């Protein structure tokens, strides 16, 4: 049967090919075999399993536990298996349960007794924990690279639009004018924290479980530090029971991944709104959109919609892993085999999302005029007028009240506050003079928010500069 074969099978004995079958008086049924096997998905760990086995074998030889002949045989056998797996010639067997036993069985077929000695001073429990950590470490490095790619795309677009005025929203209502570059740099900051979170998570991923064996350690004179060094781990897991059983490092990663997706879902929602003709702020290149089979005029922003949707899937994986770990007694339990599919899918979904997103951002066309026109509706500079009056000596609460009345008047005339004539404005405060128009314009308004973190175009350019510096650090 194919490794991931799911067709219904009768509950018949499946034969005793298992590494552990010596203890049993009857073989497991085919149904149980299929239910308990993980090779259909954990074959993805093969490269890391081989890497871990090579390091373990070298340590066994270094510690005088296996001789050089065995080591050489194991090394050449594992190299051959690696070649078979890479070229797709390796035959994965469901009855061999998982990636570890498939590779070990093949090794023994290739090199005989030396292959049987590889598992000395090791258990699948510390082996699988090691494989998952190696896989996750590589995945984190890949994802951080992809996050940087997306950040570059954001920074490039932000720089092009450091002067592009648009309405800033609270409650999705026009609040104050901002520039698009400032808005985009907000997402740069979110992703920067995501990168930092992943880098922090990596520190805890990068510890070696091997040596914990099944749960209690081993009576062989092993050298865990040597294995850790060979595999690029920062150190060893300090407690054998913890090493084989906890998957908190994977949960942490999924939490960080859920936050990345959550950030991207927010930007997605905005891109979708902005592409709606009622906004008309942006257009997304056709290659990222699809049409409708019934409505000929439609151009749908499928990519951001799917990112929004896939956020639910990644959040779900986080909850799955938390629930998997909850109330598990020490030490290893088979429950933990269920860590892999959510973890693999989180990695793949996140990586694909970041790749497509960075490309899509480079295909966004901005309609600066539409953004500007929207900012001119909704009295976006009302706060600026209140600040203007306050600076002329009116207490802020009174200024707020005066401007509120002016806004009502502007609404009655069907005009934006910034378009009212001086004589009209002066009805609400004699402190208003013709210098008021310097703050009532969009440009005057954004330019005045000139401090670190503010929306002034000069500040946005400075933020872009700092971002580029951060991105180019080693
Ligand atoms: N396939 C198992 C997993 O993913 C490997 C460890 C199995 N250990 C055991 N004692 N059955 O967790």
């Amino acid at each position: 049967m194919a490794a991931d074969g799911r067709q219904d099978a009768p509950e018949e004995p499946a034969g005793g090919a298992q590494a552990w079958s010596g203890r049993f008086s009857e073989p497991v049924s085919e149904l149980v075999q299929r239910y308990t096997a993980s090779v259909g998905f954990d074959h993805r760990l093969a490269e890391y399993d081989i890497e871990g086995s090579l390091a373990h074998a070298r340590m066994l030889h270094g510690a005088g536990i296996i001789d050089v002949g065995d080591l050489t045989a194991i090394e050449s056998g594992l190299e051959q298996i690696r070649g078979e797996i890479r070229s797709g010639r390796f035959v994965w067997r469901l009855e061999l349960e998982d990636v570890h036993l498939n590779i070990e069985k093949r090794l023994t077929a290739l090199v005989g007794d030396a292959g049987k000695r590889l598992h000395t001073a090791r258990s699948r429990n510390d082996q699988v924990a090691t494989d998952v950590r190696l896989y996750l470490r590589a995945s984190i490095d890949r994802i951080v690279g992809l996050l940087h790619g997306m950040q570059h795309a954001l920074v490039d677009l932000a720089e092009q639009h450091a002067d592009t005025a648009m309405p800033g929203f609270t409650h999705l209502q026009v609040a104050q004018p901002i520039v698009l570059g400032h808005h985009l740099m907000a997402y740069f900051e979110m992703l920067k924290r995501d990168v930092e979170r992943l880098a922090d998570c990596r520190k805890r991923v990068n510890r070696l479980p091997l040596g914990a064996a099944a749960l209690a350690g081993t009576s062989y004179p092993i050298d865990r530090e040597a294995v850790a060094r060979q595999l690029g781990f920062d150190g060893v897991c300090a407690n054998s029971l913890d090493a084989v059983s906890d998957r908190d490092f994977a949960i942490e990663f999924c939490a960080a991944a859920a936050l990345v997706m959550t950030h991207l879902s927010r930007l997605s929602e905005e891109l979708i709104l902005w592409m709606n003709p009622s906004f008309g702020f942006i257009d997304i290149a056709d290659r990222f959109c699809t049409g409708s089979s019934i409505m000929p005029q439609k151009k749908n922003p499928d990519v951001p919609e799917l990112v929004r949707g896939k956020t639910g899937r990644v959040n779900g994986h986080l909850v799955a892993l938390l629930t998997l770990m909850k109330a598990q007694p020490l030490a290893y339990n088979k429950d933990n085999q269920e860590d892999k599919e959510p973890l693999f899918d989180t990695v793949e979904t996140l990586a694909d999302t970041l790749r497509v997103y960075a490309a899509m951002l480079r295909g966004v066309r901005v309609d600066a005029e539409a953004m500007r026109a929207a900012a001119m509706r909704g009295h976006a500079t009302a706060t600026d007028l209140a600040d203007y009056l306050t600076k002329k000596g009116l207490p802020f609460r009174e200024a707020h009240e005066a401007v509120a009345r002016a806004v009502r008047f502007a609404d009655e005339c069907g005009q934006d506050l910034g378009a009212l004539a001086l004589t009209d404005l002066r009805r609400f405060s004699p402190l208003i003079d013709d210098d008021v128009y310097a703050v009532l314009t969009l440009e005057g308004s954004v330019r005045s928010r000139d401090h670190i973190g503010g929306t002034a175009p000069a500040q946005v350019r400075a933020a872009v500069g700092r971002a580029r510096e951060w991105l180019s650090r080693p």
Side-chain angles (χ1 to χ4, degrees):
M1 187 194 292
D4 52 359
R6 290 268 165 153
Q7 68 263 39
D8 285 335
E11 265 205 80
E12 274 166 12
Q18 288 79 3
W20 38 257
S21 55
R23 187 220 174 282
F24 290 78
S25 57
E26 59 172 6
V28 294
S29 74
E30 226 178 289
L31 176 61
V32 172
Q33 206 167 69
R34 193 150 51 75
Y35 191 72
T36 56
S38 54
V39 66
F41 45 88
D42 69 13
H43 64 83
R44 276 196 196 73
L45 296 174
E47 293 276 343
Y48 306 105
D49 197 69
I50 290 171
E51 235 186 280
S53 287
L54 286 170
H56 179 68
R58 285 168 193 148
M59 182 280 290
L60 289 179
H61 173 58
I65 301 167
I66 60 172
D67 65 28
V68 68
D70 283 340
L71 174 61
T72 316
I74 289 169
E75 284 177 331
S76 72
L78 286 175
E79 291 302 344
Q80 177 173 338
I81 292 169
R82 178 144 59 190
E84 290 173 1
I85 292 170
R86 284 183 183 169
S87 66
R89 278 176 295 128
F90 192 89
V91 185
W92 296 103
R93 288 165 59 194
L94 184 80
E95 67 274 20
L96 292 175
E97 242 183 279
D98 56 23
V99 61
H100 324 292
L101 294 178
N102 267 271
I103 290 176
E104 191 186 317
K105 190 85 171 179
R106 177 72 184 137
L107 180 65
T108 302
L110 288 174
V111 305
D113 282 354
K116 295 183 187 166
R117 292 201 179 96
L118 171 62
H119 211 51
T120 312
R122 186 176 76 169
S123 153
R124 273 186 297 156
N125 297 350
D126 57 347
Q127 188 178 357
V128 70
T130 302
D131 293 4
V132 173
R133 283 171 185 263
L134 287 171
Y135 162 83
L136 190 51
R137 185 180 71 189
S139 301
I140 288 174
D141 293 345
R142 178 171 154 230
I143 284 167
V144 166
L146 293 168
L147 274 164
H148 286 160
M150 164 112 189
Q151 287 178 301
H152 273 293
L154 279 170
V155 169
D156 288 347
L157 199 58
E159 189 168 42
Q160 286 166 35
H161 293 285
D163 295 290
T164 304
M166 66 177 282
F169 301 108
T170 60
H171 313 267
L172 205 54
Q173 307 298 313
V174 173
Q176 292 173 356
I178 56 172
V179 292
L180 174 60
H182 192 53
H183 192 109
L184 294 169
M185 288 305 287
Y187 286 98
F188 172 87
E189 289 295 321
M190 294 179 223
L191 297 187
K192 182 177 168 206
R193 291 194 296 279
D194 288 330
V195 167
E196 289 167 353
R197 251 186 291 278
L198 286 169
D200 197 58
C201 169
R202 190 190 193 280
K203 294 182 205 157
R204 284 174 291 281
V205 169
N206 206 25
R207 296 265 152 192
L208 175 77
L210 275 180
L215 74 163
T218 173
S219 57
Y220 292 92
I222 57 169
D223 182 352
R224 298 186 68 203
E225 299 289 351
V227 180
R229 272 194 304 278
Q230 259 208 63
L231 292 174
F233 284 108
D234 295 328
V236 303
C237 297
N239 179 292
S240 64
L241 301 170
D242 177 45
V244 293
S245 65
D246 206 346
R247 296 292 182 267
D248 60 352
F249 61 90
I251 297 175
E252 247 186 86
F253 168 78
C254 286
L259 276 170
V260 178
M261 291 298 293
T262 298
H263 289 150
L264 298 184
S265 79
R266 298 181 66 190
L267 181 54
S268 295
E269 174 73 6
E270 297 190 323
L271 295 180
I272 293 163
L273 279 174
W274 293 355
M275 200 176 121
N276 180 297
S278 312
F279 277 79
F281 287 4
I282 60 161
D283 193 28
I284 297 176
D286 286 358
R287 62 186 178 282
F288 300 102
C289 301
T290 63
S292 157
S293 54
I294 172 168
M295 296 164 283
Q297 86 286 10
K298 288 297 288 293
K299 176 175 163 184
N300 299 327
D302 284 39
V303 169
E305 287 175 86
L306 269 173
V307 171
R308 202 172 53 179
K310 284 176 192 285
T311 303
R313 167 173 170 159
V314 170
N315 288 353
H317 292 327
L318 168 62
V319 174
L321 288 193
L322 281 167
T323 313
L324 169 71
M325 204 68 238
K326 177 187 174 294
Q328 264 197 58
L330 287 175
Y332 175 84
N333 301 283
K334 186 82 165 183
D335 311 40
N336 282 341
Q337 182 166 288
E338 286 289 306
D339 65 353
K340 289 168 200 63
E341 286 161 295
L343 183 61
F344 294 160
D345 191 67
T346 299
V347 167
E348 288 315 314
T349 304
L350 186 54
D352 285 349
T353 299
L354 287 167
R355 283 176 55 207
V356 73
Y357 222 115
M360 181 182 65
L361 279 180
R362 297 192 182 281
V364 167
R365 199 189 53 74
V366 173
D367 186 339
E369 260 324 298
M371 286 192 165
R372 188 182 169 74
M376 296 293 285
R377 291 188 303 267
H379 319 297
T381 50
T383 315
D384 299 274
L385 180 56
D387 288 340
Y388 166 91
L389 290 171
T390 308
K391 284 174 195 159
K392 293 209 168 186
L394 206 59
F396 183 78
R397 278 294 156 226
E398 278 177 41
H400 185 284
E401 178 59 26
V403 176
R405 282 187 281 112
V407 163
R408 205 153 93 198
F409 175 78
D411 270 338
E412 279 159 18
C413 313
Q415 279 186 312
D416 191 78
L417 184 66
L420 290 183
L422 187 58
T423 45
D424 286 331
L425 284 167
R426 284 180 66 87
R427 291 159 60 168
F428 303 97
S429 169
L431 293 171
I432 298 177
D433 257 314
D434 57 3
D435 60 348
V436 73
Y437 291 106
V439 305
L440 276 187
T441 61
L442 298 181
E443 286 67 28
S445 171
V446 294
R447 215 182 301 124
S448 69
R449 285 158 167 77
D450 191 16
H451 52 77
I452 189 159
T455 192
Q459 292 294 339
V460 173
R461 289 197 179 84
V464 163
R466 286 193 301 273
R468 289 204 195 287
E469 207 178 296
W470 183 84
L471 282 168
S472 67
R473 83 211 186 289

